[in-house]
Amino acid sequence: MLGLMQDRPLLISSLVEHAATFHPDTEIVSRLPEGTVHRTNWRGIRDRAKQVAKALGALGVRPGDRVGTLAWNSHRHLELYYGVSGMGAVLHTVNPRLFPEQIDYIINHAEDSVLMFDAMFAPLVEKLAPKLQSVKAFVAMTDRAHMPAANLPNLLCFEDIVNAQDAAGYAWPEFDERSASSLCYTSGTTGNPKGVLYSHRSTVLHSLMELAPDTFGISSTETLLLVVPMFHANGWGTPYAAAMVGAKMVFPGPHLDGHSVYTLMRDEKVTFSQGVPTVWMLLFQYLDAHPELDARALGIKRIGIGGAALSRAMLERFERDFGAEVVQGWGMTETSPIGAINTLLDKHKRMPGEDQLRIKLKQGRGVWGVDLKIIDDEGRVQPWDGKAFGHLYVRGPWIASGYYRGEGGSPLDGEGYFRTGDIATIDSDGFLQLVDRAKDVIKSGGEWISSIDVENAAMGCPGVAEACIIGVSHPTWQERPLLLIVGRPGQEVTREDVLEFLGKRIAKWWLPDEVLFVPELPHTATGKLLKMKLREQYRDYVLPTAVAAT
Ligand code: ADP
């Protein structure tokens, strides 16, 4: 027997409609690429999203067509989030930090019919244009006064095409909630990038989960600074979740330097901000250089961190200097992106500081909607005891079932679980702790060394700004760890200091065989350490212990 409740489709347009109806005057603030600050509100975003939908229709875009964006976070990008998906087309956010050959591969693979881009990317788009087979119109996301002088076929001005339309009388179409809404390619550190195709249903369900107090706990009283780019897994779903409760949103544009982020936090009275650890390092560097600034006066309540591991040093600094709570999450482009979020259980709140800290540094606890399992190399399910580790698999209504156009074959196992490529432990409370990405694991004498643990410990050593550990071949142990360090400007730290510091914090056999100081470390387009490149660079590196062993 079926229930008798209304079968209303879960559509993305309903989110912006809700925000515009119940929170019309709540502000949406953007720092534009030119540096000026632009203000609108949820009513304005909804109206302009409708104008976008009509403008796209006028350009010949039909439901299901892909519309690409090469853009930083801004109100215009938000209007596209709602205008494109709302009309039934698919918003394809492209990461402008990728190599140009990856970008043209992605746009051609997605067959984008229109490409929207921030004016600052005009030189890049000009270079790409001859290779883009499907793009019929190029739209610079700016006004007439800031139009780039680009040599592009069918170049249009965003403000012109939007202002030519009237929102009045436009009703969002209704369609199957399983329809595709947005498309995002994974960075593809190996092989070609693969497209993750989200649906309206998956996006709305993910937003609901993101609001829960046990996860990010976003409410209408919040002011959210979205530092994570809107091309990185739908800006972690926050542009949708924020509309669901009508929270104020602040967009930093391309300005992710410490000064810009700090001033936006201060001027807009930000309460919650999300980003990857690398951008927070930039903020810390800025504050290091400006000891007269009091981060606590910002009044920021929570910082959301994901995409790469949260280090103890970063957690402690946010708590101590900002008086902020840190909420770590684990996820992937393929998981919309949230798979687990770290908020403490009641019993943890009464734990001694050090024990509580150990829990806080775990990647997160399972949320409703995501089934987790860990299995060993032979496919045996591992216990949830916080010690046994295995390959992490996830399943749920906002987890990818495959990649766009079937690339890479099926990523699912026989039970419908998605293979994440991460190695993790899960404890008896369901807290997940990442050991490594399977491809980054260091195997020493048949045992695994967790690079995440060693890096986190090293980041706590005074004078260390960033740490990265990789496996280097060794005649006796197969692989041994090599630690690469970027020092803090103006602070002295030696190899011996680092080894002594680590010696007190990690197992002896995990201690790196060598520590090298480097001016900088390479990162992927989404801010993760690019270990593949480092492994290549240090492939023939001879560890001092290897010399001794031969
Ligand atoms: P990319 O396209 O950069 O690979 P993803 O966001 O899909 O982007 O990357 C997902 C991966 O990031 C995960 O599989 C995991 O290895 C890593 N990751 C995500 N969150 C965390 C975290 N909190 N701690 C450690 N690693 C994380």
Side-chain angles (χ1 to χ4, degrees):
M1 182 164 67
L2 295 178
L4 283 172
M5 306 313 282
Q6 298 182 7
D7 194 10
R8 302 284 303 144
L10 305 176
L11 297 179
I12 285 173
S13 53
S14 71
L15 305 176
V16 77
E17 272 307 321
H18 171 84
T21 307
F22 291 94
H23 309 274
D25 300 321
T26 302
E27 278 189 311
I28 305 295
V29 181
S30 312
R31 183 169 271 149
L32 300 179
E34 307 87 64
T36 49
V37 171
H38 173 276
R39 290 177 188 277
T40 178
N41 54 29
W42 277 115
R43 189 198 297 108
I45 296 292
R46 188 266 318 269
D47 290 350
R48 298 238 316 170
K50 287 188 169 185
Q51 290 167 255
V52 165
K54 282 171 92 172
L56 288 173
L59 287 175
V61 173
R62 298 283 163 258
D65 287 355
R66 274 76 60 209
V67 174
T69 63
L70 259 179
W72 293 106
N73 297 4
S74 72
H75 65 290
R76 292 190 181 109
H77 212 166
L78 189 65
E79 289 156 9
L80 287 164
Y81 258 54
Y82 287 105
V84 174
S85 304
M87 72 169 292
V90 179
L91 178 82
H92 173 206
T93 53
V94 185
N95 183 342
R97 289 183 187 140
L98 294 172
F99 296 119
E101 40 302 354
Q102 284 180 316
I103 299 181
D104 70 54
Y105 170 85
I106 286 173
I107 294 176
N108 283 328
H109 190 268
E111 298 175 301
D112 293 339
S113 57
V114 174
L115 182 63
M116 306 270 179
F117 61 97
D118 276 345
M120 64 195 288
F121 296 125
L124 171 67
V125 176
E126 230 174 350
K127 214 161 35 183
L128 296 172
K131 295 191 212 135
L132 305 180
Q133 293 137 16
S134 54
V135 177
K136 292 193 278 289
F138 294 89
V139 183
M141 291 164 63
T142 189
D143 53 20
R144 185 55 44 203
H146 295 92
M147 275 300 278
N151 179 18
L152 283 166
N154 205 4
L155 173 64
L156 301 168
C157 167
F158 186 85
E159 289 300 320
D160 285 358
I161 62 165
V162 171
N163 291 330
Q165 304 294 334
D166 178 6
Y170 180 83
W172 296 112
E174 280 198 8
F175 42 80
D176 189 329
E177 64 184 21
R178 293 166 302 173
S179 307
S181 56
S182 64
L183 176 63
C184 190
Y185 282 69
T186 57
S187 305
T189 32
T190 50
N192 278 325
K194 295 197 279 294
V196 178
L197 189 59
Y198 308 96
S199 71
H200 285 258
R201 174 185 157 80
S202 71
T203 305
V204 172
L205 291 174
H206 180 268
S207 308
L208 271 173
M209 180 276 304
E210 198 172 341
L211 299 177
D214 263 22
T215 62
F216 283 132
I218 300 169
S219 79
S220 59
T221 59
E222 202 92 69
T223 297
L224 298 160
L225 172 64
L226 193 70
V227 173
V228 59
M230 290 167 89
F231 52 75
H232 192 188
N234 292 327
W236 295 357
T238 302
Y240 304 116
M244 205 172 232
V245 291
K248 173 175 168 180
M249 291 203 83
V250 183
F251 295 113
H255 310 284
L256 300 180
D257 60 286
H259 172 74
S260 303
V261 168
Y262 179 86
T263 50
L264 266 188
M265 283 180 166
R266 182 195 62 202
D267 298 347
E268 300 303 325
K269 303 197 169 38
V270 170
T271 57
F272 183 30
S273 186
Q274 295 165 309
V276 295
T278 36
V279 288
W280 301 130
M281 280 193 266
L282 295 180
L283 178 61
F284 288 174
Q285 277 165 20
Y286 172 73
L287 290 170
D288 286 342
H290 294 274
E292 74 282 5
L293 297 175
D294 176 13
R296 201 169 265 270
L298 291 171
I300 193 156
K301 295 196 188 86
R302 278 168 307 135
I303 298 283
I305 295 187
L310 163 69
S311 69
R312 178 181 177 142
M314 187 165 279
L315 171 73
E316 288 180 331
R317 181 149 185 192
F318 273 124
E319 289 186 343
R320 184 189 63 233
D321 294 358
F322 291 68
E325 192 188 322
V326 177
V327 190
Q328 178 171 205
W330 169 85
M332 315 176 70
T333 304
E334 291 90 334
T335 64
S336 291
I338 292 164
I341 295 194
N342 195 328
T343 52
L344 293 182
L345 294 171
D346 194 42
K347 66 178 181 186
H348 296 138
K349 299 195 173 139
R350 294 183 292 277
M351 275 182 166
E354 207 41 46
D355 292 349
Q356 198 186 75
L357 205 107
R358 243 182 343 97
I359 308 280
K360 283 184 181 167
L361 288 174
K362 295 194 177 204
Q363 269 64 28
R365 154 163 76 90
V367 297
W368 176 83
V370 183
D371 302 334
L372 306 170
K373 73 175 175 185
I374 40 174
I375 61 171
D376 68 9
D377 284 341
E378 280 74 47
R380 287 179 301 236
V381 173
Q382 297 301 295
W384 289 20
D385 59 7
K387 292 191 189 77
F389 54 80
H391 301 274
L392 176 65
Y393 281 69
V394 294
R395 185 176 68 180
W398 57 80
I399 311 291
S401 61
Y403 292 99
Y404 187 48
R405 295 172 59 182
E407 290 302 332
S410 173
L412 306 186
D413 72 0
E415 293 181 313
Y417 278 79
F418 175 85
R419 217 176 20 246
T420 66
D422 284 337
I423 310 283
T425 63
I426 304 179
D427 69 19
S428 54
D429 292 315
F431 279 73
L432 179 98
Q433 181 152 30
L434 239 62
V435 176
D436 242 314
R437 284 196 122 167
K439 57 182 170 29
D440 292 336
V441 139
I442 303 171
K443 288 199 180 114
S444 174
E447 300 279 351
W448 287 2
I449 296 176
S450 165
S451 55
I452 293 185
D453 277 352
V454 182
E455 284 161 5
N456 276 354
M459 305 255 254
C461 178
V464 172
E466 202 177 7
C468 174
I469 195 157
I470 52 169
V472 176
S473 69
H474 189 282
T476 319
W477 301 108
Q478 176 187 4
E479 273 188 343
R480 285 296 299 158
L482 167 68
L483 179 62
L484 303 164
I485 298 274
V486 179
R488 272 186 202 287
Q491 290 186 26
E492 271 290 312
V493 58
T494 65
R495 169 186 185 277
E496 286 66 34
D497 296 337
V498 176
L499 289 173
E500 195 194 323
F501 185 87
L502 287 178
K504 296 186 191 129
R505 286 165 178 85
I506 57 173
K508 193 155 179 284
W509 67 276
W510 283 16
L511 274 181
D513 283 23
E514 185 56 300
V515 182
L516 298 180
F517 290 86
V518 292
E520 58 180 358
L521 287 165
H523 291 97
T524 68
T526 48
K528 297 182 212 313
L529 287 165
L530 192 49
K531 294 203 176 181
M532 201 177 62
K533 187 161 172 204
L534 290 167
R535 274 195 296 269
E536 231 168 71
Q537 193 179 336
Y538 291 95
R539 198 179 40 216
D540 301 324
Y541 185 80
V542 183
L543 290 164
T545 49
V547 179
T550 48

